[in-house]
Amino acid sequence: MSQWINQWHDTLLLPFLHLGVFTKYAMLIALVMFTIAIALAAWRLFRGPADEDTILALDTLYINSLAVTILLGIVFATSVYFEVALVIAMLGFIGTVVMAKFLAEGDIVK
Amino acid sequence: MTQPTLLVLMLLLPIIGALALLAVDNRNRALAIGIAGGVTIAACALLAMLATNVFDGNVARFRADWLPSLNVAFSLRLDGLGFLFASLILGIGALVVLYGAYYLSNDDPPARFFAFLLFFMGAMLGVVLSDNLILLVVFWELTSLSSFLLIGFWRHREDARQGARMALTVTGAGGLALLAGVLLIGHVVGSYDLDAVFAAKATLQESALFTPILILILLGAFTKSAQFPFHFWLPRAMAAPTPVSAYLHSATMVKAGVFLLARMYPALGDNDTWFWIVSTTGLATLLLGAVVAIFQHDLKGLLAYSTISHLGLITLLFGLDSPLAVVAGVFHIINHAVFKASLFMAAGIIDHETGSRDMRQLNGLWKTMPITATLAMVACAAMAGVPLANGFLSKEMFFAEALAVDAHRLLSIATPIAATIAAIASVAYSLRFIHDVFFNGEPVGLTKTPHEPPRIMRVPVEILVVLCLVVGIFPAFTIGPLLAIAAQATLNVTPAGLPVYSLAIWHGVNLPLMMSAIALVGGVSLYVVLQKKINLHTVAKLPGDAKVLFDVLIENLVVVASAITRTTQNASLQRYLLLIILTAIAAGAAGFWLSPSTNSIAVRPQPANLLVTIFALIGMAAAIGTVFMHRERFNALMLLGLTGLIIALTFIYFSAPDLALTQVLVEVVSIILMMLALNFLPKLSVKETNHFRRYRDMVIAAVAGLGVSWIVYAVLTRPFNSISPYFLRTTVPEGGGANAVNVIIVDFRGFDTLGEIAVLGMAGLIVAVLLRGISIAKSPADGAFEAKAPENARPSLLLSIISSILLPITIMVSIYFYLRGHNLPGGGFIAGLIFAIGIILQYVALGREKVEAQLPMNYGKWIGWGLLAAGLTGVGSFVVGFPFLTSAFQYFKLPVVEAVPIASAMFFDLGVFLCVIGGTMLALATLAKVSSTRSAP
Amino acid sequence: MIDFLNTHLPILPIAAPLFGAAFALIVNEQNIRTQRVVAWIAVALMLGAGVFAIDRTADGILSVYLLGNWQAPFGIALALDKLTAIMLLLTAFIAAIALYAAQQSNTDRGVYFTPLFMLQLMGINGAFLTADLFNLFVFFEVLLAASYGMLLQHCDRAKTNAATHYVVINLVGSALFLIAASLLYGVTGTLNMADLSVKINTLPPYSHALALSAGFILLTVFAIKAALLPLNFWLTGTYASAVLPVAALFALMTKVGVVAIIRTLTLIYPDGSFGNVAMSKVLLIVAPITMLVAACGALASRELKTLIGWSVVGSASMLVTAVAIGNAKALSGALFYLIGSTIAASLLYLNASAIDAPSSRPTEGAANSNRNWAWVGTLFVIGAVTATGLPPLSGFIGKAVILAGAAQHMWPMWLMSMVLVAGLLNVIAYARLGSRLFWKRDAAIDGATHVVPTALLALAIAGLTIFAAPIQRFTDRAAIELRTPSIMRDNVLGKRPIERQTSPSQVKP
Amino acid sequence: MSLELLVALGIGVLAACGIYLILRARIFDVVLGLTLLSYGVNLFIFFMGRLAVGKAPIIKDGVPLNLASYADPLPQALVLTAIVISFGMTAVLLAIAVRAHIENGHDHVDEDAENKSAR
Amino acid sequence: MKRLMPQPLISAMLFLIWLALNNTIHPAHLLLGALLAIAIPLWTSALKFATPKIKQPSTIVALGVIVLIDIVKSNISVARLILGKESNIQPSFVWVPLDIVDPHAKAALAGIITMTPGTLSADFSDDGKHLLVHAFNVTDEAALIAEIKSRYELPLKEIFE
Amino acid sequence: MMPIWLDIIVALLLILGGTFALIGSYGLAKLGDFLKRLHGPTKASTLGVGAVLIASILYFTFSNRGLSVHELLITLFIFLTAPVSAHLLIKAAMKRHSAMRPPPPNKD
Ligand code: NA
Ligand code: NA
């Protein structure tokens, strides 16, 4: 058990050492929460039942991934991932728009 | 002219003539005949100019550099044997040209005929003049090819086409065997030159490869000379025009086989294997040909089998493996050529003037064609071996040699007996030729009224018949010297080494003479008996015709080949892909299988944390989900999108921001593409009924996946040394950018990128090739793109407004990414994709037609400008003397602004930017246009 | 000028068609005349470069070109050795012929024909020139993408369906190529083939299995291109459905696979390195069987284009056999055979247009037609004789040299018998179909055939045959060069970039 | 579970799923399969430069210039090329699927298969 | 001026975005940003779409504050509902009659309604005079309509009309 | 090292963001029909991501990098685009299930 915890600490918190003591654990909690959020959205994606649900789920996954990207930027203390988040925010919705339009009208460029 | 020049000119003349004839109009008969005749006579003259030299016992040679890889030159030699054959080829050739000039009807294209004929003449000359074996093979196969063309000359006739193919197949196959044998000789001897091969006789015959070599060479000889069991093609070759039969299939080409025996005798002869194979083959052929000939109804068929028989005789003589027999063989080559050619010509005349070659129709022609009859009768006498004709002399020598066989018990008895039987048969069929055609009652059902041919058409026959007699009566004066030099060359001996033989009609009463007498009496009796008892006319086709066997063989071959092709190439992509994947699995496994396994894992694996594991599991589940949902395409695409998202997160986690950016952008564009395409496709894949196939594929896929995993794991647990630290060290000082990935893309490996943008540009072009101007007439049955609620197709206000605001923003963001790429994630590709997405968004929000009307853009040109920009950056470095794509960067000091770095790589990246926009937009716009065409009523 | 050419020669065959494509795209699509001029300029430059390359390599110079002035193995290098020189000239020649034929028949009025044609040439030349494995992948993609576009020119149902198979198979092949190339990088840490040649032979034993797997997968990829069994079934249908000038150009593409196999077996895994023997043995089993299967396919063919396709397969497997035999004689023979068989395949494809074209219905027996028909027949015979390896044309010469090399190999009987039996079956196949096509019908054709370009190809074959001596001396030397991988290694890795002076303006103030 | 194993398994799953779908009879399924396969292949290339967490190869002052401090940039550049090419080819294959469907009336990978048997 | 800067609002926005993107107010970027902010609309305005006219810019800030507060507030309430029993949720469609006509105003209203959790704008009526709103939990339909009209529509009307 | 007040604020923001994102996704997974589910994730996209973005701004601004405002852009883009997604999704759902769509408004 203690070995498990040590391993957790090593693999999860080692990269966070530059963060403040509260932020360090908050970051861990936030990452866990976002991971669960992503897992739940993924579950909805697998589950459906309607095609709209899967689009909605994928849209949610994109937004949550955006947040995870920002979090990883803080974790790795780098701003090089910022643009990924920017692009998801600016253009990620197009996928949703196109899929929704496809479902509604078939032809998406009419 | 020097001797070598004369020699090569003699060979080239017919070939040049053939080429010239190709250009001659077939209506210009006189010109065609003139060229053919002129060439032949000129070649004859050249041969004559060379004659004295050869008769002096010298060998004329020509040598030109040709195939240094094989150490083979274009080398010709004219020795006695070659001279003999060259005389036959050119002499009889001249007569055949003359004969053919009258033989051909007005419908036959003369230029083509004589072109082929001269082509053959050149090839055949090449065979007999070659000074090395490779060259000999070359000309050998050319004779097969020209024979194929000549047999098929009357191409509208099925039997001609079949006969041509059969001859080509059999002699071509023999030629390939010959080639193999020759190559092995070259391997053993180290040279293909005849002299070297002769000199290496001992080495050759002691080599382990000798038996295969001998068999291969003999296969070549036997097929060409129609030896049993390869004889069947020759009768079928009679579909050729008669001049061809006279020339190729009696006088010359079929003699190439026995020529080869003679040629190779010094190197391959003089041993038991040679003796047994050659003599028994010759013997069998001799008997078979002679007996079957009697029962032919077709004049040319009779002559063909007779030819087979005589070729067997010559082969047998070479097989007997004694110098005297070889001399007899050479002698018979001459004699047979002369009388058989004349007989074929006679048969041709008969055919020409009566319209038939069937002896059941032809009767009593003596009355209408007395001169031709006389000529034919003399030639037949020669064929039958009647004294005073040339055939008699060589047959006598043959009988003597047959009796001389004593080394081998069985053959020493069999040979003389077989020789006698064959001689009896040959008398019988010769008699049948004379009796059945010129006498034996009245013609039956002829379409033409028989009469003598034009005077000149008979001339060649007359010349040959006179030759038969002259040689038959004064052999020593006429043929003696030629025979001597030919035999000498064949045996590869000096004049002194020649065995003692006598060319005289009368050798006293001896056993051979007795045999001749028996043959004459027996032959006449046999024919009389056969005519009386069973009436030869009623004999149907002889059973066991090898031709039928051959046809069956070829048909079966084609059936088998088709079956193989059909089963392997069943036009099933799934099958092909399965094979490729299985091969790849085998290839991957082969490395581990063939290389001794070493499990020294030198790198300690790092533990994976739970969150990463969860993400990985979601990704794997999404991939597997895509598989399980694949029939419901839309859902499968959603799961695929999730997989792609996880891939992007993977890139982020493992330090690849550029890849993550690219992945996300490509995902967005891909989903648009997929939606555009899916609109025209069924939304549901047809359910699979073949469960075996599914499970099989699952197993294969699993195995492949495990293999990939295994390899990845193996690599990741091995230490790594790479060239990459170089990039990290030089990217800033020499590449001028902090983003090593981008500097690699636009500079270190900018050349890859050049290719990559070409591919992306082409993707757009290809989509245009596929779908430009395509409209869909009717909705297919499987429910693809059924109309959806058209009544409510109002564009969304919210979407339109947000899109119009986003367009300038995306363009600005795109420029931002373009400018910063060298130092931070971004660059031309990413910028291009963002730009393109910005425009696509307008298509989605406002509709294609409106966007294209208000923002007309020729995306093909964008691709062109992009390629041009990239290419100009490349050649720009020439100016300063550096190689293609050498980047330069400078800091420029501008007013207000501090120093800004301008790298030439940015101009290159501009090319990338333009190409990406052009390629992506061309693909998307073309697909979009298809949809719009469809929605029109 | 000569200095300039000496320096930049290797890039010319890539840059010329690149600019050709760019200009052809920039001018208006309807402006076919300008596009034609552009294409001819590019092809003429390629021809010049090819001749110059032969001349230079004949002087014993192996030109190495460091793109971006980065030293190999860090940057991408082009290497121009004798093999490459041969391929460049051959490509330029076939391209000129195909271009002529395409323009003659207005095939180039398809959608984006000229740019795709140009990029096809750029891809082929790049694949021959590059000394970098991943760059080879990129150029494979360029030439394949272009070939998709070329195949689909004048798109119809048959072309679409052929393209479906062709594209999917090649995409799978590309995936395998990426796996093999990156695996080699993962094991050796380099991508330059000359560097790979060095690194693979100094690899620690624990990496041997991985390197060998990579090698075999790489061979699989090239075998798809070279149409080896069991990866070849896509070829005949694909080529048969292409427009004929395009098919004539496609005759080159199997050769790209063959050349890649040559590089694999002579440079990356050269004679004497671990893996060479295993790879060669596998190929020596697979390639001769392919030859036989191709011969069966030829025999079963009922259409000329299918027959030619099988010939292409057969000649590629012949080449692979020779390469796997690997001795100098077989390699030299292979290079000679490669030239002739490529030209012959192009010739046959172009010639087939006269026979298979709908316009070849019997027309009023104008003598002119018959004359054309005679020419078509003669050219067919020349092509068939070369393709089947019958004497005396170049096909035979190459085959004979390869067989002489086979005689020196440890499996002479197997190799020779397969080659000869396959050869015989091919002869039968051509005789059957040829006699049916040319003899059975009294066909006449109208003037719009490719007699001129075909005749040029036939002349080339005649030239190869008659002037075999200088060519063979060149291929002999090329074979020795290939069998001495140190030449390539030393030249590529030893080439130094041009010294750059860092100007003050290049230092950040 | 080690990170190496996780990565290896992930790539294996992607490859297996891709291959299974490639072997299906519909062009669209093949497109899905090729996309999955190219994901797998891209990761394969990427990880040939080994695993590096939080070490983006963007040069920062004062960090030693070696593979211990930065991820290997070369495989990343190769993957970029691979992504672009596979994206372009996906577009081509989709266009082919559309055209084939127009021509044949079905999107089976083989022209005549629809008539032969239901697969 | 009109020709040089066809969409001044957009240009201003672009200028600010450029500075934010580059995270700097360096003179070089001010210059470049200004250039781009002018150049890009010159090209994109070819896609003609009615350019919004802002009458009362000051109201924008007030509306922004309201919206932000509403986002936080309704987020919390919706979170409660989600965590609670599902049967407590009473979702419903509501047609909101519109007084505004400017398309930009309508779009902004639709966006704001969606961004404030608890309501989603679903569609406009065919005549464009009603906005269909889906509300997560409706207890009083009239109150909801009144709130939307007063809190969001009125300020928007001031801004745009 | 971050100052303690910043540490606490950032920590709170992170947990706040995580909580809202989780609740949003929980709603997406749990709720019974599409229209209800649609409301869940909109939280994640606004408050959840917003909190994380503010945390990021604060973190990068105070970890000696100077003012970091480009996260605001992300917020701007989310505000611009998220309504469109939801809007089109609900439109699509209504189009596919006409029973879902309420009757048109009374003309008054
Ligand atoms: Na008779
Ligand atoms: Na970049």
Side-chain angles (χ1 to χ4, degrees), chain B residues 606 655 667 688 724 745 770, chain D residues 3 24 39 52 72 80 99:
Chain B
Q606 23 186 327
S655 325
E667 281 295 315
E688 285 178 79
S724 283
I745 282 172
L770 270 162
Chain D
L3 205 49
R24 305 277 58 76
Y39 287 160
D72 189 342
L80 271 179
R99 179 75 191 241

Side-chain angles (χ1 to χ4, degrees), chain B residues 338-357:
Chain B
V338 173
F339 68 66
K340 193 53 71 60
S342 67
L343 278 172
F344 266 111
M345 290 181 185
I349 290 174
I350 293 165
D351 185 11
H352 199 250
E353 304 308 333
T354 65
S356 170
R357 301 189 323 229

Side-chain angles (χ1 to χ4, degrees), chain B residues 358-364 435-440 537:
Chain B
D358 191 333
M359 285 188 279
R360 290 167 297 191
Q361 293 183 313
L362 300 168
N363 292 308
H435 175 255
D436 213 348
V437 174
F438 300 110
F439 308 100
N440 202 19
H537 287 186

Side-chain angles (χ1 to χ4, degrees), chain D residues 38-90:
Chain D
S38 73
Y39 287 160
V41 168
N42 290 343
L43 289 185
F44 186 100
I45 305 169
F46 180 55
F47 287 119
M48 287 298 113
R50 307 305 194 265
L51 307 180
V53 178
K55 298 171 186 169
I58 292 163
I59 307 298
K60 287 173 280 190
D61 290 337
V63 179
L65 298 170
N66 56 39
L67 289 181
S69 317
Y70 291 102
D72 189 342
L74 184 55
Q76 295 194 16
L78 305 186
V79 174
L80 271 179
T81 305
I83 291 179
V84 176
I85 289 175
S86 74
F87 161 66
M89 291 306 112
T90 304

Side-chain angles (χ1 to χ4, degrees), chain B residues 8 12 72 107 178 242 285 313 315 508 550 579 621 655 663 717 795 839:
Chain B
V8 72
L12 289 181
V72 161
D107 296 337
L178 175 62
T242 301
T285 313
L313 189 158
T315 304
F550 175 85
L579 286 169
S655 325
Q663 177 73 30
T717 50
I839 298 172

Side-chain angles (χ1 to χ4, degrees), chain A residues 17-23 26-27 29-30 33-34 36-37 40-41 43-44 48-49 51-53 55-57 59-60 63-64 66-67 70-71 73-74 77-79 82 85-86 89-90 93 96-97 100 103-105, chain F residues 1-2 4 6-8 10-11 14-15 17-19 21-22 25-26 28-31 34 37-38 41 44-45 48-49 52-53 55-56 59-60 65 70-71 73-74 77-78 81 84-85 88-89 92-93 95-97:
Chain A
L17 293 181
H18 60 284
L19 300 176
V21 63
F22 291 104
T23 312
M27 175 61 81
I29 293 166
M33 283 171 147
F34 272 105
I36 297 171
L40 287 171
W43 185 80
R44 177 52 73 195
D51 292 341
E52 306 87 80
D53 287 302
I55 305 177
L56 177 61
D59 190 64
T60 311
I63 299 293
N64 283 333
L66 183 160
I70 298 284
L71 292 181
I74 300 175
T78 174
S79 55
F82 159 73
L86 181 81
M90 185 172 73
F93 85 107
T96 310
V97 165
L103 279 188
E105 283 157 40
Chain F
M1 209 35 125
M2 316 161 75
I4 188 77
L6 178 68
D7 190 11
I8 292 171
V10 170
L14 288 177
I15 289 178
T19 310
L22 184 55
S25 287
Y26 175 69
L28 175 68
K30 173 199 165 192
L31 295 173
F34 173 72
R37 287 196 282 270
L38 196 48
S45 61
V49 176
V52 168
L53 285 169
S56 173
Y59 171 74
F60 283 111
R65 270 157 218 273
H70 54 193
E71 283 85 348
L73 278 178
I74 296 180
F77 291 142
I78 289 179
T81 62
V84 184
S85 303
L88 282 177
L89 270 173
K95 201 159 274 181
R96 282 160 61 83
H97 313 281

Side-chain angles (χ1 to χ4, degrees), chain C residues 353-416:
Chain C
S353 65
I355 300 152
D356 281 350
S359 61
S360 64
R361 270 162 308 188
T363 51
E364 302 82 78
N368 192 34
S369 290
N370 278 319
R371 275 280 279 295
N372 262 343
W373 191 237
W375 276 109
V376 169
T378 309
L379 293 168
F380 174 79
V381 170
I382 289 172
V385 165
T386 315
T388 53
L390 277 182
L393 299 180
S394 64
F396 167 79
I397 297 172
K399 194 160 156 178
V401 181
I402 293 173
L403 284 173
Q408 296 170 359
H409 189 264
M410 54 194 282
W411 299 341
M413 287 304 160
W414 158 252
L415 296 170
M416 289 176 100

Side-chain angles (χ1 to χ4, degrees), chain B residues 570-574 577-578 581 604-608 612-613 616 620 623-624 626-627 630 633 636-637 640 643-644 647 650-651 653-659 662-663 666-667 669-670 673-674 677-678 680-682 685-689 693-694 697-698 700-702 704-705 708-709 711-713 715-720 722-725 727-729 731-732 738-741 744-745 749 752 756 759-760 763 766-767 769-771 774 776 780 782 784-785 823-825 829 833 920 923 927, chain D residues 1-61 64-114 116-119:
Chain B
N570 66 346
S572 158
L573 179 64
Q574 288 165 282
L577 290 173
L578 188 70
I581 285 159
R604 196 176 72 89
Q606 23 186 327
V612 172
T613 312
M620 290 187 229
I624 295 168
T626 312
V627 169
H630 74 93
R633 294 176 174 181
L637 281 178
L640 194 67
T643 320
I647 304 278
T650 310
F651 287 139
Y653 187 73
F654 289 103
S655 325
D658 283 279
L659 293 187
T662 312
Q663 177 73 30
V666 166
E667 281 295 315
V669 185
S670 295
L673 268 174
M674 298 271 191
L678 192 55
F680 303 104
L681 298 172
S685 286
V686 177
K687 197 172 174 78
E688 285 178 79
T689 50
R693 186 192 285 260
R694 282 177 53 217
D697 292 350
M698 277 181 203
I700 289 167
V708 171
S709 295
I711 287 177
V712 172
Y713 190 73
V715 171
L716 290 181
T717 50
R718 275 158 176 75
F720 187 41
S722 155
I723 56 173
S724 283
F727 302 120
L728 297 173
R729 283 196 305 273
T731 179
V732 173
N739 182 355
V741 176
I744 291 176
I745 282 172
R749 299 185 68 91
D752 276 347
E756 168 198 326
V759 172
L760 190 58
I766 297 164
V767 175
V769 171
L770 270 162
L771 294 177
I774 289 295
I776 304 165
D782 56 13
F785 61 89
N823 285 307
L824 287 164
F829 180 76
L833 274 184
T920 310
L927 259 169
Chain D
M1 167 150 343
S2 72
L3 205 49
E4 281 81 0
L5 191 58
L6 194 63
V7 159
L9 282 178
I11 296 173
V13 167
L14 287 169
C17 292
I19 287 169
Y20 178 80
L21 284 179
I22 284 169
L23 294 173
R24 305 277 58 76
R26 305 284 143 180
I27 303 178
F28 197 84
D29 297 350
V30 174
V31 173
L32 295 177
L34 282 168
T35 309
L36 280 177
L37 184 64
S38 73
Y39 287 160
V41 168
N42 290 343
L43 289 185
F44 186 100
I45 305 169
F46 180 55
F47 287 119
M48 287 298 113
R50 307 305 194 265
L51 307 180
V53 178
K55 298 171 186 169
I58 292 163
I59 307 298
K60 287 173 280 190
D61 290 337
L65 298 170
N66 56 39
L67 289 181
S69 317
Y70 291 102
D72 189 342
L74 184 55
Q76 295 194 16
L78 305 186
V79 174
L80 271 179
T81 305
I83 291 179
V84 176
I85 289 175
S86 74
F87 161 66
M89 291 306 112
T90 304
V92 168
L93 199 53
L94 281 172
I96 288 180
V98 170
R99 179 75 191 241
H101 192 268
I102 294 170
E103 298 283 353
N104 300 328
H106 60 78
D107 78 333
H108 196 286
V109 288
D110 304 324
E111 178 179 5
D112 304 325
E114 201 77 319
K116 278 186 203 152
S117 64
R119 279 184 199 159

